[in-house]
Short mmCIF file of all heavy atoms in Angstrom, two decimals:
data_model
loop_
_atom_site.label_atom_id
_atom_site.label_comp_id
_atom_site.label_asym_id
_atom_site.label_seq_id
_atom_site.Cartn_x
_atom_site.Cartn_y
_atom_site.Cartn_z
N VAL B 1126 113.69 -50.20 43.30
CA VAL B 1126 113.55 -49.51 42.01
C VAL B 1126 112.77 -50.40 41.05
O VAL B 1126 111.88 -49.94 40.32
CB VAL B 1126 114.94 -49.16 41.41
CG1 VAL B 1126 114.80 -48.68 39.97
CG2 VAL B 1126 115.62 -48.10 42.24
N GLY B 1127 113.09 -51.71 41.05
CA GLY B 1127 112.39 -52.66 40.18
C GLY B 1127 110.90 -52.68 40.47
O GLY B 1127 110.07 -52.65 39.56
N VAL B 1128 110.56 -52.70 41.76
CA VAL B 1128 109.15 -52.70 42.16
C VAL B 1128 108.48 -51.39 41.72
O VAL B 1128 107.37 -51.38 41.20
CB VAL B 1128 109.03 -52.89 43.69
CG1 VAL B 1128 107.60 -52.64 44.16
CG2 VAL B 1128 109.46 -54.30 44.08
N LEU B 1129 109.20 -50.30 41.91
CA LEU B 1129 108.64 -48.98 41.59
C LEU B 1129 108.37 -48.83 40.09
O LEU B 1129 107.27 -48.43 39.69
CB LEU B 1129 109.63 -47.90 42.05
CG LEU B 1129 109.09 -46.49 42.15
CD1 LEU B 1129 108.10 -46.38 43.29
CD2 LEU B 1129 110.25 -45.51 42.39
N THR B 1130 109.37 -49.16 39.27
CA THR B 1130 109.19 -48.98 37.82
C THR B 1130 108.17 -49.96 37.25
O THR B 1130 107.53 -49.67 36.25
CB THR B 1130 110.51 -49.15 37.06
OG1 THR B 1130 111.07 -50.41 37.40
CG2 THR B 1130 111.49 -48.04 37.38
N SER B 1131 108.01 -51.11 37.89
CA SER B 1131 107.08 -52.09 37.33
C SER B 1131 105.63 -51.73 37.60
O SER B 1131 104.73 -52.49 37.25
CB SER B 1131 107.38 -53.50 37.84
OG SER B 1131 107.26 -53.57 39.22
N PHE B 1132 105.40 -50.58 38.21
CA PHE B 1132 104.03 -50.09 38.29
C PHE B 1132 103.51 -49.77 36.89
O PHE B 1132 102.31 -49.76 36.66
CB PHE B 1132 103.93 -48.85 39.18
CG PHE B 1132 103.64 -49.21 40.62
CD1 PHE B 1132 104.64 -49.20 41.56
CD2 PHE B 1132 102.37 -49.57 41.02
CE1 PHE B 1132 104.40 -49.53 42.88
CE2 PHE B 1132 102.11 -49.92 42.34
CZ PHE B 1132 103.12 -49.89 43.27
N ALA B 1133 104.43 -49.48 35.96
CA ALA B 1133 104.01 -49.23 34.58
C ALA B 1133 103.43 -50.51 34.00
O ALA B 1133 102.40 -50.51 33.34
CB ALA B 1133 105.18 -48.75 33.73
N ALA B 1134 104.10 -51.59 34.23
CA ALA B 1134 103.66 -52.93 33.82
C ALA B 1134 104.61 -53.90 34.49
O ALA B 1134 105.81 -53.64 34.58
CB ALA B 1134 103.72 -53.08 32.30
N ARG B 1135 104.07 -55.04 34.93
CA ARG B 1135 104.87 -55.95 35.75
C ARG B 1135 106.11 -56.46 35.02
O ARG B 1135 107.16 -56.67 35.63
CB ARG B 1135 104.02 -57.13 36.19
CG ARG B 1135 102.95 -56.77 37.17
CD ARG B 1135 102.13 -57.97 37.50
NE ARG B 1135 101.09 -57.65 38.46
CZ ARG B 1135 99.87 -57.27 38.12
NH1 ARG B 1135 99.54 -57.16 36.86
NH2 ARG B 1135 98.97 -56.99 39.04
N GLU B 1136 105.95 -56.70 33.71
CA GLU B 1136 107.07 -57.29 32.98
C GLU B 1136 108.27 -56.36 32.94
O GLU B 1136 109.39 -56.79 32.63
CB GLU B 1136 106.66 -57.69 31.57
CG GLU B 1136 106.19 -56.55 30.67
CD GLU B 1136 104.68 -56.34 30.77
OE1 GLU B 1136 104.13 -56.50 31.88
OE2 GLU B 1136 104.08 -55.99 29.74
N VAL B 1137 108.05 -55.07 33.25
CA VAL B 1137 109.16 -54.10 33.27
C VAL B 1137 110.15 -54.46 34.38
O VAL B 1137 111.32 -54.09 34.31
CB VAL B 1137 108.58 -52.67 33.48
CG1 VAL B 1137 109.66 -51.64 33.67
CG2 VAL B 1137 107.71 -52.31 32.30
N PHE B 1138 109.69 -55.22 35.38
CA PHE B 1138 110.56 -55.55 36.51
C PHE B 1138 111.85 -56.22 36.05
O PHE B 1138 112.95 -55.82 36.46
CB PHE B 1138 109.82 -56.47 37.48
CG PHE B 1138 110.69 -56.98 38.60
CD1 PHE B 1138 111.02 -56.16 39.67
CD2 PHE B 1138 111.21 -58.26 38.57
CE1 PHE B 1138 111.83 -56.62 40.70
CE2 PHE B 1138 112.03 -58.73 39.59
CZ PHE B 1138 112.34 -57.91 40.65
N VAL B 1139 111.71 -57.22 35.18
CA VAL B 1139 112.91 -57.98 34.78
C VAL B 1139 113.88 -57.08 34.01
O VAL B 1139 115.09 -57.09 34.28
CB VAL B 1139 112.51 -59.21 33.93
CG1 VAL B 1139 113.75 -60.00 33.53
CG2 VAL B 1139 111.57 -60.11 34.72
N SER B 1140 113.36 -56.28 33.09
CA SER B 1140 114.26 -55.42 32.32
C SER B 1140 114.86 -54.33 33.21
O SER B 1140 116.02 -53.94 33.04
CB SER B 1140 113.55 -54.81 31.11
OG SER B 1140 112.40 -54.14 31.51
N THR B 1141 114.09 -53.84 34.18
CA THR B 1141 114.63 -52.84 35.11
C THR B 1141 115.77 -53.45 35.93
O THR B 1141 116.83 -52.85 36.09
CB THR B 1141 113.53 -52.32 36.07
OG1 THR B 1141 112.48 -51.80 35.31
CG2 THR B 1141 114.08 -51.25 36.99
N MET B 1142 115.54 -54.66 36.43
CA MET B 1142 116.58 -55.31 37.22
C MET B 1142 117.81 -55.58 36.36
O MET B 1142 118.95 -55.48 36.83
CB MET B 1142 116.06 -56.62 37.83
CG MET B 1142 115.02 -56.43 38.91
SD MET B 1142 115.45 -55.22 40.18
CE MET B 1142 116.88 -55.97 40.93
N ALA B 1143 117.55 -55.89 35.08
CA ALA B 1143 118.68 -56.11 34.18
C ALA B 1143 119.50 -54.84 34.04
O ALA B 1143 120.74 -54.87 34.06
CB ALA B 1143 118.17 -56.57 32.82
N VAL B 1144 118.81 -53.69 33.91
CA VAL B 1144 119.52 -52.41 33.80
C VAL B 1144 120.26 -52.10 35.10
O VAL B 1144 121.44 -51.73 35.09
CB VAL B 1144 118.52 -51.27 33.47
CG1 VAL B 1144 119.18 -49.91 33.61
CG2 VAL B 1144 117.96 -51.45 32.08
N VAL B 1145 119.59 -52.29 36.22
CA VAL B 1145 120.19 -51.95 37.51
C VAL B 1145 121.42 -52.81 37.79
O VAL B 1145 122.45 -52.34 38.25
CB VAL B 1145 119.14 -52.12 38.65
CG1 VAL B 1145 119.79 -51.94 40.01
CG2 VAL B 1145 118.03 -51.12 38.48
N VAL B 1146 121.30 -54.10 37.44
CA VAL B 1146 122.37 -55.03 37.79
C VAL B 1146 123.47 -55.06 36.73
O VAL B 1146 124.65 -55.00 37.02
CB VAL B 1146 121.80 -56.45 38.02
CG1 VAL B 1146 122.91 -57.48 38.18
CG2 VAL B 1146 120.91 -56.45 39.23
N THR B 1147 123.03 -55.16 35.44
CA THR B 1147 124.04 -55.34 34.38
C THR B 1147 124.26 -54.09 33.56
O THR B 1147 125.24 -54.00 32.83
CB THR B 1147 123.59 -56.45 33.41
OG1 THR B 1147 122.44 -55.99 32.71
CG2 THR B 1147 123.27 -57.73 34.16
N GLY B 1148 123.31 -53.17 33.63
CA GLY B 1148 123.47 -51.93 32.87
C GLY B 1148 122.85 -51.99 31.50
O GLY B 1148 122.83 -51.02 30.76
N HIS B 1149 122.33 -53.16 31.08
CA HIS B 1149 121.61 -53.22 29.80
C HIS B 1149 120.29 -53.94 30.04
O HIS B 1149 120.14 -54.68 31.01
CB HIS B 1149 122.42 -53.93 28.71
CG HIS B 1149 122.81 -55.33 29.09
ND1 HIS B 1149 121.95 -56.39 29.03
CD2 HIS B 1149 123.99 -55.83 29.54
CE1 HIS B 1149 122.56 -57.49 29.40
NE2 HIS B 1149 123.81 -57.18 29.72
N ASP B 1150 119.34 -53.69 29.13
CA ASP B 1150 118.02 -54.28 29.36
C ASP B 1150 117.79 -55.53 28.53
O ASP B 1150 116.66 -55.89 28.20
CB ASP B 1150 116.91 -53.25 29.12
CG ASP B 1150 116.90 -52.74 27.70
OD1 ASP B 1150 117.79 -53.16 26.93
OD2 ASP B 1150 116.02 -51.93 27.38
N ASP B 1151 118.86 -56.19 28.17
CA ASP B 1151 118.73 -57.43 27.42
C ASP B 1151 118.34 -58.54 28.39
O ASP B 1151 119.11 -58.92 29.27
CB ASP B 1151 120.08 -57.74 26.74
CG ASP B 1151 120.01 -59.02 25.93
OD1 ASP B 1151 118.93 -59.60 25.84
OD2 ASP B 1151 121.07 -59.43 25.41
N THR B 1152 117.12 -59.05 28.23
CA THR B 1152 116.64 -60.08 29.16
C THR B 1152 116.72 -61.47 28.53
O THR B 1152 115.92 -62.35 28.80
CB THR B 1152 115.19 -59.79 29.57
OG1 THR B 1152 114.42 -59.63 28.39
CG2 THR B 1152 115.10 -58.55 30.42
N SER B 1153 117.68 -61.64 27.63
CA SER B 1153 117.81 -62.93 26.96
C SER B 1153 118.43 -63.95 27.91
O SER B 1153 118.70 -63.67 29.08
CB SER B 1153 118.67 -62.79 25.72
OG SER B 1153 119.91 -62.25 26.07
N GLU B 1154 118.71 -65.13 27.38
CA GLU B 1154 119.24 -66.22 28.19
C GLU B 1154 120.53 -65.80 28.87
O GLU B 1154 121.38 -65.13 28.27
CB GLU B 1154 119.50 -67.42 27.27
CG GLU B 1154 119.51 -68.72 28.02
CD GLU B 1154 119.62 -69.89 27.06
OE1 GLU B 1154 119.39 -69.70 25.87
OE2 GLU B 1154 119.95 -70.96 27.55
N GLY B 1155 120.70 -66.16 30.10
CA GLY B 1155 121.92 -65.81 30.82
C GLY B 1155 121.69 -64.71 31.82
O GLY B 1155 122.43 -64.59 32.79
N ILE B 1156 120.65 -63.91 31.59
CA ILE B 1156 120.40 -62.80 32.50
C ILE B 1156 119.95 -63.31 33.87
O ILE B 1156 120.26 -62.73 34.91
CB ILE B 1156 119.34 -61.82 31.91
CG1 ILE B 1156 119.26 -60.54 32.75
CG2 ILE B 1156 117.97 -62.46 31.85
CD1 ILE B 1156 120.50 -59.72 32.70
N THR B 1157 119.26 -64.47 33.89
CA THR B 1157 118.82 -65.04 35.16
C THR B 1157 120.01 -65.35 36.05
O THR B 1157 120.00 -65.05 37.25
CB THR B 1157 118.00 -66.32 34.90
OG1 THR B 1157 117.03 -66.04 33.91
CG2 THR B 1157 117.32 -66.81 36.16
N GLU B 1158 121.03 -65.95 35.44
CA GLU B 1158 122.24 -66.29 36.20
C GLU B 1158 122.92 -65.01 36.72
O GLU B 1158 123.37 -64.96 37.85
CB GLU B 1158 123.21 -67.09 35.34
CG GLU B 1158 122.78 -68.52 35.04
CD GLU B 1158 121.69 -68.60 34.00
OE1 GLU B 1158 121.43 -67.60 33.30
OE2 GLU B 1158 121.03 -69.67 33.91
N GLU B 1159 122.96 -64.00 35.83
CA GLU B 1159 123.59 -62.73 36.23
C GLU B 1159 122.85 -62.11 37.41
O GLU B 1159 123.45 -61.64 38.36
CB GLU B 1159 123.58 -61.75 35.06
CG GLU B 1159 124.77 -61.91 34.12
CD GLU B 1159 124.88 -60.74 33.16
OE1 GLU B 1159 125.27 -59.64 33.62
OE2 GLU B 1159 124.56 -60.90 31.97
N LEU B 1160 121.50 -62.14 37.31
CA LEU B 1160 120.70 -61.55 38.39
C LEU B 1160 120.83 -62.37 39.68
O LEU B 1160 120.92 -61.80 40.77
CB LEU B 1160 119.22 -61.48 37.98
CG LEU B 1160 118.87 -60.45 36.91
CD1 LEU B 1160 117.42 -60.57 36.48
CD2 LEU B 1160 119.14 -59.04 37.41
N ALA B 1161 120.85 -63.70 39.53
CA ALA B 1161 120.97 -64.56 40.72
C ALA B 1161 122.29 -64.31 41.45
O ALA B 1161 122.37 -64.40 42.68
CB ALA B 1161 120.83 -66.02 40.32
N ALA B 1162 123.32 -63.99 40.67
CA ALA B 1162 124.64 -63.80 41.27
C ALA B 1162 124.89 -62.36 41.73
O ALA B 1162 125.88 -62.08 42.42
CB ALA B 1162 125.72 -64.20 40.25
N ALA B 1163 124.00 -61.45 41.33
CA ALA B 1163 124.23 -60.03 41.63
C ALA B 1163 124.19 -59.77 43.14
O ALA B 1163 123.43 -60.41 43.87
CB ALA B 1163 123.16 -59.19 40.94
N THR B 1164 125.05 -58.87 43.57
CA THR B 1164 125.12 -58.58 45.00
C THR B 1164 124.65 -57.17 45.31
O THR B 1164 124.56 -56.32 44.42
CB THR B 1164 126.55 -58.74 45.52
OG1 THR B 1164 127.39 -57.86 44.75
CG2 THR B 1164 127.03 -60.18 45.39
N ARG B 1165 124.38 -56.95 46.57
CA ARG B 1165 123.95 -55.63 47.04
C ARG B 1165 125.18 -54.73 47.15
O ARG B 1165 126.29 -55.13 46.82
CB ARG B 1165 123.23 -55.76 48.37
CG ARG B 1165 122.03 -56.68 48.23
CD ARG B 1165 121.16 -56.74 49.44
NE ARG B 1165 120.01 -57.62 49.13
CZ ARG B 1165 118.89 -57.67 49.80
NH1 ARG B 1165 118.72 -56.88 50.85
NH2 ARG B 1165 117.92 -58.48 49.47
N ASP B 1166 124.95 -53.51 47.67
CA ASP B 1166 126.04 -52.54 47.71
C ASP B 1166 127.22 -53.01 48.56
O ASP B 1166 128.36 -52.55 48.36
CB ASP B 1166 125.51 -51.20 48.26
CG ASP B 1166 124.64 -50.50 47.22
OD1 ASP B 1166 124.72 -50.90 46.02
OD2 ASP B 1166 123.90 -49.57 47.58
N ASP B 1167 126.98 -53.96 49.51
CA ASP B 1167 128.10 -54.44 50.34
C ASP B 1167 129.00 -55.39 49.56
O ASP B 1167 130.07 -55.80 50.04
CB ASP B 1167 127.57 -55.12 51.61
CG ASP B 1167 126.71 -56.35 51.33
OD1 ASP B 1167 126.65 -56.77 50.14
OD2 ASP B 1167 126.09 -56.89 52.26
N GLY B 1168 128.57 -55.78 48.35
CA GLY B 1168 129.39 -56.63 47.50
C GLY B 1168 129.38 -58.10 47.91
O GLY B 1168 130.05 -58.92 47.28
N VAL B 1169 128.64 -58.45 48.95
CA VAL B 1169 128.62 -59.83 49.45
C VAL B 1169 127.22 -60.44 49.42
O VAL B 1169 127.01 -61.51 48.85
CB VAL B 1169 129.17 -59.89 50.91
CG1 VAL B 1169 129.13 -61.33 51.43
CG2 VAL B 1169 130.57 -59.32 50.98
#
Side-chain angles (χ1 to χ4, degrees):
Chain B
V1126 170
V1128 169
L1129 195 69
T1130 55
S1131 61
F1132 269 102
R1135 291 177 180 92
E1136 62 269 37
V1137 174
F1138 174 77
V1139 180
S1140 55
T1141 303
M1142 290 312 296
V1144 169
V1145 173
V1146 172
T1147 68
H1149 58 78
D1150 61 358
D1151 180 5
T1152 53
S1153 57
E1154 203 174 344
I1156 190 66
T1157 310
E1158 288 76 14
E1159 275 193 72
L1160 289 174
T1164 57
R1165 301 188 178 197
D1166 287 345
D1167 62 9
V1169 179

